[in-house]
């Protein structure tokens, strides 16, 4: 049983086609890296899984995206509950202009949890989960903007995890971070795998190599190759993948 | 030669720009100076018209009266001297034109030659009289005594409940009803315009599709460009009769009519400014909220509105600012009664409407004229305060974002 499957997915921004016939199947509790040159459609594809592209006017999707075997684009699907199940971490840390505590509690509150005790517990465990607790435990009431970029990004991950999703989407989550923060986030991703299914977009080949189990290479809106990360990096079947990888490694 | 020419023209343009800057600033300073010079003059004047006197009989111990007391005496609201600290007798009112009730035409004379003698005798013979007459009929050996009237005081001006700037014998310059009328109407306007404007702003920035927005936006901006007389006309023809019918009133020209018209006029300001603020909410912030399973509405009131709250407040305050200074439309629909309003369904009068309506009739440099300028000063201070508030709020906003 796959956690995520996409079947013959096409996607259009107006008249221009951004994704062409994408077929991927992702097993639960794995990390999948999406790589490819800029503009090839990685973000577009990632944002299909929590229907974030719905926010953009004039877009169209064809084909099927299944999560836990259910077509998330079928009629009558509740998008808000889908997004509760499929969390997302963005390229730039984007905490709310609220306190550290309220940032993590936000997802709980909007999902109707009012039990103060439960909220406090959940905030604490998720901040611990992203290994941020020791750094922020004394300033939970302070603005999230007082944290460093790396801390903010881990806070955003905690915020996404607090509502206990089963899939976590990450769009270049470390591209705005320094090497040390990046290492921390990567470590975190590796650990999170035991509980979540993770899809991560990255431009950093080493990162893809370090954290992912499988890698999908996109080129101009097409999926060129999807295989285990090891195969993609050492023995790709398609020449274009080879060129891209070696090019990127220099 | 060429470089000299270039340098010269640059200097010339620089000078020209500086000149226009200086002229603008000077104009503002001059206007404010003129406004306050004329306006403050009112506190150096007496409320009794120049060239007239108010006199009492010698036996009357009272020396001064306030303008309110004088008015109440002549309106017969005060009928006994005891009410204002005198003898228990009832007051006898006298104006110069009443003289024929007391003396024959022969005694007064064809050209009022005998008038001063008559008045003198009358004041002497009636101990309870209060007499108001032109100073030129004050006899040399006047047997009564002239009442001294206080200058217009700050307390009288700001605390007075009546605005009768042309009342005889003593003008009433209480601006309280006008200030209250202004605030009343503006407050009503904002109460109507804020929810509506906010709703429209939310709709335009968060819900409307791009093409709907492209039609709505210029329409709303057009609303801001309509001359205020047209609004007044619209109010007079549509809203005033509607209010009259709905509430079954004797007249439809009420504070409510003013509030509605001003509310409509404040809408474009409120909508455009708060919509701009909302659209400035970073997309990342909204996406973060939605990605956490928040609904569109939750995102609007938990993220978008808090984020743009300073812009929204600035819009609301500027909207009030527009309402407070607005003249023409209000003049046309509020009924212009200078009394302290007790309900929104009564006629009221605002400061700008008063100035516009009365300035033409007020003799240059006189008490009434200066009182109107003092009103202008009050209006200026209110709007200055509003602008400072907006400045303060938008500064805070800059601060928040970093
Ligand atoms: N909102 C949009 N409206 C129209 N076209 C878009 C929109 N967003 C993306 N596109 C187009 O879709 C294509 C894929 O974009 P996408 O953002 O998915 O690329 P990407 O692989 O994530 O690139 P990058 O690595 O630079 O983030 C691009 O050609 C882009 O121009
Ligand atoms: Mg991208």
């Amino acid at each position: 049983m796959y956690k995520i499957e996409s079947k013959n997915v096409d996607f259009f921004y107006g008249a221009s086609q951004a994704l062409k016939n994408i077929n991927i199947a992702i097993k639960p509790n794995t990390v999948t890296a999406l790589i490819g040159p800029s503009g090839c459609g990685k973000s577009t594809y990632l944002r299909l899984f929590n229907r974030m592209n719905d926010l953009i006017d004039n877009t169209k999707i064809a084909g099927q995206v299944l999560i836990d075997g259910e077509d998330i684009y079928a009629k009558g699907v509740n998008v808000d509950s889908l997004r509760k199940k499929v969390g997302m971490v963005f390229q730039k840390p984007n905490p709310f202009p609220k306190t550290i505590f309220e940032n993590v509690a936000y997802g709980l509150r909007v999902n109707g949890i009012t039990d103060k005790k439960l909220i406090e517990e959940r905030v604490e465990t998720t901040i611990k989960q992203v290994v941020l607790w020791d750094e922020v435990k004394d300033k939970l009431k302070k603005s999230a903007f007082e944290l460093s970029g790396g801390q903010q990004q881990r806070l955003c991950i905690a915020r996404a995890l607090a509502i206990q999703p089963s899939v976590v989407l990450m769009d270049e989550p470390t591209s705005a971070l320094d090497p040390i923060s990046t290492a921390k986030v990567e470590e975190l991703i590796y650990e999170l795998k035991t509980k979540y299914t993770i899809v991560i977009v990255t431009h950093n080949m080493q990162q893809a190599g370090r954290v992912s189990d499988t890698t999908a290479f996109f080129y101009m809106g097409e999926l060129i190759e999807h295989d285990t990360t090891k195969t993609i990096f050492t023995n790709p079947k398609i020449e274009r993948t080879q060129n891209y990888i070696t090019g990127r490694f220099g | 030669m060429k470089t000299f020419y270039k340098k010269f023209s640059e200097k010339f343009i620089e000078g020209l720009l500086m000149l226009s800057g200086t002229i603008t600033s000077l104009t503002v300073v001059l206007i404010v100076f003129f406004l306050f010079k004329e306006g403050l003059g009112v506190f150096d004047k007496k409320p009794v018209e120049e060239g007239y006197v108010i006199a009492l009989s010698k036996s009357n111990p009272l020396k001064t009266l306030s303008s309110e007391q004088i008015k109440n005496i002549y309106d017969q609201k005060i009928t006994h001297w005891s009410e204002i600290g005198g003898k228990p007798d009832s007051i006898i009112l006298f104006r110069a034109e009443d003289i024929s009730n007391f003396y024959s035409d022969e005694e007064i004379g064809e050209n009022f030659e005998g008038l001063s003698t008559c008045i003198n005798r009358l004041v002497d013979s009636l101990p309870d009289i209060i007499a108001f007459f032109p100073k030129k009929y004050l006899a040399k050996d006047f047997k009564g005594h002239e009442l001294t009237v206080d200058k217009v005081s700050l307390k009288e001006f700001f605390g007075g409940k009546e605005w009768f700037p042309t009342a005889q014998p003593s003008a009433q310059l209480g601006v309280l009803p006008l200030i209250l009328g202004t605030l009343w109407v503006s407050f009503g306007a904002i109460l109507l315009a804020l929810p509506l404007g906010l709703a429209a702003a939310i709709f335009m920035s968060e819900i409307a599709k791009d093409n709907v927005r492209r039609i709505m936006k210029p329409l709303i901006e057009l609303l801001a460009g309509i001359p205020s007389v047209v609004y007044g006309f619209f109010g007079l023809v549509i809203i005033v009769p509607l209010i009259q019918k709905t509430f079954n009133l004797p007249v439809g020209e009420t504070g409510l009519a003013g509030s509605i018209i001003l509310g409509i006029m404040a809408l474009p300001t409120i909508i455009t400014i708060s919509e701009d603020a909302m659209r400035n909410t970073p997309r990342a912030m909204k996406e973060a909220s939605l990605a956490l399973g928040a609904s569109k509405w939750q995102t609007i009131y938990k993220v978008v509105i808090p984020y743009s709250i300073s812009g929204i407040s600035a819009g609301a305050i500027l909207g009030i600012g527009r309402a407070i200074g607005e003249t023409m439309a209000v003049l046309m629909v509020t009924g212009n009664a200078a009394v302290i309003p007790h309900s929104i369904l009564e006629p009221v009068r605002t400061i700008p409407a008063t100035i516009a309506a009365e300035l033409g009739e007020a003799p240059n440099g006189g008490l009434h004229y200066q009182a109107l300028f003092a009103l202008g000063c009050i209006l200026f201070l209110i709007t200055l305060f509003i602008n400072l508030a907006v400045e303060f709020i938008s500064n805070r906003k800059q601060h928040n974002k970093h």
Side-chain angles (χ1 to χ4, degrees), chain A residues 131-155:
Chain A
V131 211
L132 190 62
W133 183 250
D134 289 336
E135 292 154 71
V136 303
K137 64 172 181 250
D138 297 324
K139 43 181 177 180
L140 292 174
K141 292 263 157 9
K142 292 252 170 73
S143 165
F145 290 149
E146 288 181 20
L147 299 175
S148 75
Q151 290 172 326
Q152 285 184 16
Q153 192 63 309
R154 277 180 287 151
L155 186 72

Side-chain angles (χ1 to χ4, degrees), chain B residues 138-190:
Chain B
L138 189 70
K140 291 227 167 56
D141 56 341
F142 189 57
K143 301 237 173 54
H145 71 263
E146 229 183 292
L147 196 64
T148 50
V149 181
D150 295 334
K151 285 180 184 173
V152 176
S153 72
L154 274 174
K155 182 170 159 275
E156 228 177 339
F157 193 71
F158 288 101
K161 294 194 179 66
E162 291 186 87
W163 175 261
F164 290 119
T166 53
Q168 290 274 30
S170 180
Q172 303 297 304
L173 297 178
V175 295
L176 202 59
L178 308 181
I179 295 181
L180 286 180
T182 306
L183 297 180
W184 198 241
V185 170
S186 309
F187 183 71
I190 218 65

Side-chain angles (χ1 to χ4, degrees), chain A residues 84 96 98-123 140-141 159 162-163, chain B residues 289 292-295 298-299 301-302:
Chain A
K84 212 182 136 200
F96 298 120
K98 298 175 189 283
T99 63
I100 294 171
F101 183 92
E102 281 307 319
N103 260 281
V104 183
Y106 184 90
L108 302 171
R109 294 198 200 282
V110 296
N111 285 295
I113 298 175
T114 50
D115 183 350
K116 236 180 124 190
K117 201 93 182 274
L118 179 65
I119 291 178
E120 275 171 15
E121 264 172 35
R122 195 75 79 72
V123 169
L140 292 174
K141 292 263 157 9
R159 180 175 69 183
I163 49 173
Chain B
S289 169
L292 288 167
S295 66
Q298 286 174 322
T299 303
Y301 77 74
K302 290 191 119 157

Side-chain angles (χ1 to χ4, degrees), chain B residues 76-137:
Chain B
Q76 300 184 343
K77 281 185 193 136
I78 295 177
T79 52
H80 289 81
W81 289 113
S82 54
E83 289 169 58
I84 44 177
K87 302 168 287 180
D89 309 302
S90 66
I91 300 170
I92 299 170
L93 292 180
F94 173 79
R95 294 171 198 257
E97 56 265 34
D98 303 332
I99 195 71
S100 51
N101 301 343
F102 299 94
Y103 297 97
S104 68
D105 286 354
E106 288 81 56
E107 284 168 299
I108 298 165
E110 209 166 314
N111 297 313
F112 306 111
E113 308 86 59
L115 185 54
S116 49
T117 331
C118 293
I119 292 175
N120 198 359
R121 269 162 55 199
L122 189 68
V123 171
D124 195 28
S125 62
L126 296 170
D128 297 320
I129 197 169
I130 179 166
F132 173 65
F133 55 91
K135 200 166 189 140
K136 61 179 175 186
Y137 297 120

